[in-house]
Amino acid sequence: MDLDTNSTAHLLSISAFARRVGLTPSALRFYDDCGVLRPARVDTTTGYRFYRPDQDIRARLLRSLRAAGLPLAEVTVVLDGDEDEARAVLERHRNTVRDRTRTADATIEAVLRSLSGDGTRARSGAGDGAGDGAGDEAGAVTVVRLGGVELASAFRQVVPAAGQDPEHPELGCVLVEIEDGEVRLVATDRYRLSTRVLRPVEAVEGPARRLPLAAGSLPGIGAWAARCAAVTIEAGPDGATLHETAGTASRELPFSAVLFPAYREMLSALTPARYRLIVNRTALLDAVNDCGETPAIVLRLGEDEVAVSLPDDSRATALPAVCPGERPPPIGFDPAVLAPALEASVGPDVLLEIASVTEPVVVRSADQGSFTTLVMPVGLGAPAF
């Protein structure tokens, strides 16, 4: 692969190649980081990625295998291993899918039998109380429209990173930033930090806004928003209201007049990743939970696996993994911090980007490049952001 040539003739930009093969640019960047689908050329000045047209065969096969639910560590075996290895991986995965399908079918059948004669069940009560305020009319008002399910998903992912220390109420908030044509949600408890970016369904109206919202009320508001096709945030200088775009219902957003931490400065100061680990997200979460209640677990990266254990090597679980490049020393995490980060992620696989065993680790997935969590490792002490 030639990464040094200055010629981009006959090469496709990442956006053009993404459209050609049916993958998102964020997924292509993820697969590059994982070493599964490298670009033909990377511009050394801009960092732009370019692809050859004939790379579409590998890209489409990669997309198909991922759509079939094959973990990324096993996708690499199918793409790069010998035929016997690939066949064994695919047969094993097909049996797993069949087992899951039978289990799901049995569960659905049982629920269908429990339905009343008219095919309905008793409806659950409403979520958190409604707020009918129309927002602050004094001063400029910012209006942004979002998908209801997308906003609910963002709340679900980001809220777990908020703090619960009453001495630091600013950490008990989710910051909602409306600027540059997008909506960014941020939360941190000093040991982890989660961000999610949402694209509005229409152009943002009004000035930029920073809205610290009390995290405790957001899951209920998210449950309400998930039942709306679209919702509208109307934000003034002193607060904000969430409206159902197609109706009259609304919820007051729990505005808090606190100074949220300067998270952008922290993100810009991150050391570039030196090591990377790609592993099945659910399997890693199960291995972390299997270690039980403990202040620390350890990840040891091998050539094609990661071992999860207690610091004394007990309760060890080895998982298939992709570990491109050199391997880091063993790295420790507080499972009470790492597990929620894995739970909030989406998709079958997760990527951990590691600068060192003492610096924040970036946790993200190919399926949703707009969601990122930073998790602080633990060592002799438990340093904070």
Side-chain angles (χ1 to χ4, degrees):
M1 183 186 309
D2 183 6
L3 299 184
D4 297 322
T5 177
N6 290 322
S7 174
T8 59
H10 310 301
L11 295 181
L12 300 172
S13 69
I14 190 170
S15 297
F17 188 71
R19 290 192 297 271
R20 182 186 181 102
V21 301
L23 291 168
T24 64
S26 63
L28 288 173
R29 285 188 285 268
F30 178 87
Y31 293 138
D32 178 17
D33 291 340
C34 298
V36 178
L37 182 60
R38 296 287 196 188
R41 177 176 177 266
V42 178
D43 188 289
T44 56
T45 301
T46 65
Y48 292 165
R49 295 167 170 86
F50 297 90
Y51 295 81
R52 297 189 312 273
D54 63 4
Q55 289 183 277
D56 62 356
I57 298 174
R58 182 181 180 91
R60 288 194 173 99
L61 180 56
L62 171 58
R63 184 195 67 192
S64 297
L65 292 172
R66 296 290 284 158
L70 195 67
L72 197 56
E74 296 183 348
V75 167
T76 59
V77 176
V78 176
L79 293 176
D80 301 319
D82 62 41
E83 184 174 331
D84 290 340
E85 289 179 314
R87 188 177 299 278
V89 165
L90 293 172
E91 291 289 354
R92 184 169 60 249
H93 182 68
R94 180 163 63 179
N95 290 336
T96 300
V97 171
R98 286 172 173 169
D99 289 343
R100 288 174 179 168
T101 301
R102 284 192 289 267
T103 300
D105 185 68
T107 300
I108 293 171
E109 179 63 28
V111 174
L112 286 172
R113 287 197 300 269
S114 73
L115 293 173
S116 60
D118 61 358
T120 61
R121 293 180 62 88
R123 297 186 63 180
S124 60
D128 287 354
D132 296 322
D136 185 357
E137 297 297 333
V141 175
T142 301
V143 178
V144 58
R145 295 173 178 82
L146 303 165
V149 172
E150 286 75 14
L151 181 60
S153 171
F155 284 158
R156 180 189 67 81
Q157 292 176 315
V158 172
V159 164
Q164 299 181 4
D165 186 348
E167 295 186 4
H168 295 279
E170 70 280 4
L171 300 181
C173 292
V174 170
L175 177 65
V176 177
E177 287 185 324
I178 307 171
E179 62 179 350
D180 297 330
E182 65 183 24
V183 178
R184 182 185 301 269
L185 290 80
V186 188
T188 180
D189 61 0
R190 295 185 299 167
Y191 296 95
R192 56 185 164 172
L193 182 147
S194 293
T195 68
R196 171 76 188 274
V197 176
L198 298 175
R199 301 295 181 185
V201 298
E202 296 179 12
V204 176
E205 302 174 15
R209 291 286 178 199
R210 288 171 55 90
L211 304 170
L213 305 179
S217 300
L218 297 182
I221 295 174
W224 173 80
R227 297 192 290 270
C228 305
V231 292
T232 300
I233 297 176
E234 291 189 4
D238 302 314
T241 304
L242 186 67
H243 299 278
E244 181 185 7
T245 302
T248 59
S250 64
R251 297 290 188 272
E252 285 290 339
L253 292 175
F255 180 78
S256 180
V258 298
L259 183 63
F260 195 82
Y263 78 93
R264 290 180 183 268
E265 285 78 357
M266 190 274 290
L267 291 177
S268 64
L270 287 176
T271 303
R274 182 178 178 183
Y275 317 100
R276 289 181 170 86
L277 164 68
I278 306 99
V279 63
N280 181 273
R281 180 179 64 88
T282 302
L284 179 58
L285 177 60
D286 289 343
V288 171
N289 290 333
D290 286 346
C291 289
E293 295 186 9
T294 175
I297 55 98
V298 178
L299 271 58
R300 293 179 173 84
L301 279 63
E303 182 176 354
D304 55 6
E305 69 174 24
V306 58
V308 183
S309 70
L310 295 176
D312 63 1
D313 291 338
S314 62
R315 297 191 181 183
T317 302
L319 304 173
V322 178
C323 309
E326 59 182 318
R327 252 66 73 193
I331 183 169
F333 292 98
D334 180 347
V337 176
L338 179 60
L342 297 173
E343 289 173 346
S345 298
V346 295
D349 296 294
V350 67
L351 168 66
L352 275 66
E353 296 182 313
I354 304 167
S356 73
V357 298
T358 60
E359 297 179 82
V361 172
V362 178
V363 180
R364 60 190 180 97
S365 76
D367 301 77
Q368 194 169 76
S370 62
F371 175 64
T372 300
T373 296
L374 273 62
V375 177
M376 197 68 196
V378 296
L380 296 177
F385 287 131

